[in-house]
Amino acid sequence: MDTHKHSRARLGEQFGGDHGGGPVIVEGTSCGPTGASVAALPSLSCRVQYEQQSFVVSVSNISERGMFIPGGSPPTLGSIVNVHLVCPGGEDVVAEGEVRSLGVDPQVILGTTGFVLRFTTVSSGASTLQTLGKRRIELLRRANDGDAQLVPLLLLPELSLVAMRDRISRYPLSPLLESFIQEYQAVGMPHRNKSLWKSTRMGMDVVMLPSVTPELKPLINDIKTLGAMADVLLDDLADEKQDRERLEKMIALFGRRLTGQGTAPVPVGDPYLEFASSLWERMWDMIERLPRCSEFVRVLQYDWHQVINSMRYSLLVNQIPALQNATEHDAYVPHNMHMMCNATLDLMCSPTVNMAELGAIRKVALLAQDLGRIGNMVTTWEREIMSRDFTSGVFAHAVDQGVLSVREIESQPPRALASQLRHSGVETRLLLTWERKRAEVLGLRSTTRVDLEAFAELLDEMLAIQLALRGII
């Protein structure tokens, strides 16, 4: 029996005939041995069965965690789907999975028709999935190869972004944070609503080093949320108001804690700066009581200098749009996500972490910060464009990819720019970069005792929180 006929036979044994009248089986491409040269993802025949649907389709977006199934009449979110993936040259994959997202949802798959399946049970073919997953990762790691074939496979931990929004809305805040949020609302930007602060605090719980002492988690995550608020106060001056004078005054207020020298100037007659100074001093008073503060304080001071530099760069780009380029954006702006600061704060509450692991942990944190920035860009650029804030990497990458020119960014109405960007594929490529960097995180597993498999799952949840608030924050 030849391979094609044998594949048909194996599919028929598992699921029976083609009841759905779907596409005919295409000849599968051999999986090949692990470590083989990767030119493209294999296109493999897959029997798909759910509810009353049964059809065969060619698939290529596959990893150990799940797969993207193109076409067909999409099932409902949370449905259970059975698949039989025929892999000539390797063991067939027989698995059951749960529908996590639909391709018609532009927030997830960006216009590609189909749905994402997250495997819940793999009856056979686990080694085949590992091989296919490695081939996908190799394509993702290549700077320019393969992206046109790949659909972002965002296996989000919630069945629905609506469910995630509901979870955020019910998230409780401490009296300390409630107090500072009320003060921010009196002086800050009106679009920074309570959903932002709830999602920020919830995100601190999600993306946290597992080494943090459990009883210190509420305290450290409140401190990190205050840091994010200080970050936002800087960002509002750099991006929203584009007020260089007041931005530099705020940086001067922060200087004493970051250098250990001199005294902080006292702001007078500016409620915004008075609030920023009060928040900053309260946050550092709390930091100084953390168990390992003295060991890591200079690292934290350095991290905050990078946050401040990102704000100066953002203001410069807003005032001189010709500076737009993805290389500088990706080097400087991710620091405004504050995640390197957060990782250092986590270390201050991690009694078991050996200082010898510091370099490896910071490499992981820097990658996580890049992931956080990508999620933030995709979530917020449409709001930012309306206020002509062009510091989002969406614009820098659009310029580098030839989608937009600097002249168009400066002269076109915001709605025209937004329409052009939505249909450009820039978001898709950014989400593929998200996947690539997530793969890099997992590639560092041998360098640290931190459970990076679990940490990568937390990064998925961070992205779900961000996408759930698209159009809200």
Side-chain angles (χ1 to χ4, degrees):
M1 182 182 291
D2 63 29
T3 301
H4 186 59
K5 289 180 180 178
H6 188 51
S7 298
R8 279 189 180 274
R10 284 188 284 179
L11 283 168
E13 290 170 6
Q14 181 67 24
F15 293 127
D18 186 1
H19 305 300
V24 296
I25 297 177
V26 296
E27 184 68 54
T29 303
S30 174
C31 293
T34 302
S37 175
V38 179
L41 286 169
S43 181
L44 302 175
S45 303
C46 184
R47 166 75 71 183
V48 182
Q49 185 174 16
Y50 56 88
E51 299 166 353
Q52 302 303 312
Q53 296 280 329
S54 179
F55 60 91
V56 175
V57 67
S58 177
V59 297
S60 60
N61 281 267
I62 309 161
S63 76
E64 300 98 314
R65 305 162 65 222
M67 62 191 296
F68 179 77
I69 298 175
S73 175
T76 57
L77 290 171
S79 296
I80 300 301
V81 175
N82 292 294
V83 295
H84 183 149
L85 183 67
V86 176
C87 187
E91 184 184 13
D92 284 4
V93 176
V94 178
E96 184 180 86
E98 185 177 68
V99 177
R100 287 302 176 97
S101 56
L102 305 179
V104 295
D105 183 348
Q107 297 181 88
V108 182
I109 306 297
L110 301 165
T112 303
T113 303
F115 57 93
V116 168
L117 193 70
R118 177 77 174 259
F119 296 135
T120 53
T121 303
V122 178
S123 302
S124 65
S127 60
T128 299
L129 288 178
Q130 290 178 353
T131 300
L132 294 170
K134 287 178 181 178
R135 298 187 87 168
R136 180 182 175 84
I137 287 171
E138 284 305 310
L139 276 178
L140 286 168
R141 284 175 173 167
R142 296 182 180 189
N144 299 306
D145 291 348
D147 285 4
Q149 307 173 59
L150 297 173
V151 174
L153 187 60
L154 306 179
L155 298 168
L156 304 181
E158 293 294 319
L159 301 183
S160 165
L161 297 182
V162 174
M164 180 62 83
R165 283 193 288 271
D166 180 63
R167 182 178 158 196
I168 292 167
S169 70
R170 292 184 284 103
Y171 191 86
L173 296 171
S174 68
L176 173 74
L177 293 184
E178 290 280 9
S179 173
F180 274 105
I181 289 169
Q182 287 182 10
E183 290 188 63
Y184 174 85
Q185 289 172 338
V187 299
M189 302 298 292
H191 68 264
R192 308 284 194 191
N193 54 45
K194 203 165 187 178
S195 292
L196 168 66
W197 305 117
K198 286 190 172 188
S199 64
T200 299
R201 178 60 179 79
M202 183 172 155
M204 301 306 177
D205 275 346
V206 169
V207 185
M208 178 173 54
L209 295 179
S211 53
V212 172
T213 302
E215 57 266 27
L216 291 176
K217 288 180 180 180
L219 171 64
I220 194 67
N221 288 330
D222 274 3
I223 291 173
K224 289 189 285 188
T225 305
L226 292 181
M229 189 174 287
D231 194 328
V232 165
L233 288 164
L234 290 165
D235 186 76
D236 287 347
L237 293 179
D239 291 346
E240 300 283 347
K241 298 182 182 294
Q242 298 182 29
D243 188 336
R244 182 179 180 184
E245 180 181 356
R246 294 172 78 211
L247 176 64
E248 292 300 332
K249 285 182 178 179
M250 186 179 296
I251 292 170
L253 289 173
F254 291 0
R256 180 180 69 88
R257 294 289 195 171
L258 300 182
T259 64
Q261 299 176 358
T263 58
V266 178
V268 177
D270 188 329
Y272 191 91
L273 295 183
E274 289 172 359
F275 170 65
S277 178
S278 171
L279 180 149
W280 181 253
E281 292 300 318
R282 178 67 179 275
M283 180 187 77
W284 275 94
D285 286 343
M286 296 166 70
I287 289 170
E288 288 175 346
R289 296 196 294 269
L290 298 179
R292 301 183 72 179
C293 176
S294 61
E295 293 177 76
F296 293 103
V297 66
R298 286 188 299 160
V299 179
L300 182 61
Q301 289 169 336
Y302 174 83
D303 292 336
W304 262 105
H305 280 296
Q306 309 318 305
V307 172
I308 288 169
N309 187 55
S310 76
M311 300 300 172
R312 285 174 165 149
Y313 176 76
S314 294
L315 176 61
L316 201 60
V317 168
N318 272 322
Q319 295 181 337
I320 310 175
L323 280 172
Q324 282 280 14
N325 70 89
T327 302
E328 279 192 297
H329 170 278
D330 293 351
Y332 304 140
V333 178
H335 286 286
N336 73 8
M337 293 304 297
H338 198 253
M339 291 175 69
M340 294 298 286
C341 296
N342 291 346
T344 302
L345 288 166
D346 284 348
L347 290 174
M348 290 182 179
C349 299
S350 299
T352 61
V353 171
N354 191 308
M355 189 65 82
E357 290 187 75
L358 182 58
I361 289 172
R362 284 181 65 80
K363 189 172 182 178
V364 170
L366 193 63
L367 286 167
Q369 182 167 266
D370 289 343
L371 293 172
R373 177 59 183 167
I374 292 170
N376 178 263
M377 288 189 294
V378 173
T379 301
T380 63
W381 73 265
E382 291 186 79
R383 171 187 57 76
E384 292 168 343
I385 203 172
M386 295 304 168
S387 60
R388 303 201 71 81
D389 170 11
F390 298 121
T391 56
S392 172
V394 171
F395 306 109
H397 283 269
V399 170
D400 273 21
Q401 294 168 24
V403 172
L404 291 172
S405 68
V406 172
R407 180 176 296 178
E408 287 174 315
I409 289 176
E410 291 181 297
S411 61
Q412 282 197 32
R415 293 188 187 282
L417 287 173
S419 177
Q420 195 168 345
L421 280 170
R422 284 190 203 103
H423 299 92
S424 68
V426 171
E427 281 191 339
T428 300
R429 286 186 283 276
L430 283 170
L431 291 173
L432 286 166
T433 300
W434 191 99
E435 272 204 274
R436 182 180 296 120
K437 288 183 178 291
R438 185 190 188 281
E440 287 184 49
V441 169
L442 291 176
L444 294 171
R445 281 172 289 198
S446 63
T447 66
T448 175
R449 290 173 294 175
V450 174
D451 185 349
L452 295 187
E453 291 277 1
F455 189 70
E457 294 286 339
L458 298 177
L459 294 173
D460 293 346
E461 190 167 356
M462 175 181 70
L463 182 64
I465 292 170
Q466 291 172 316
L467 292 179
L469 293 175
R470 185 167 180 164
I472 297 175
I473 63 171

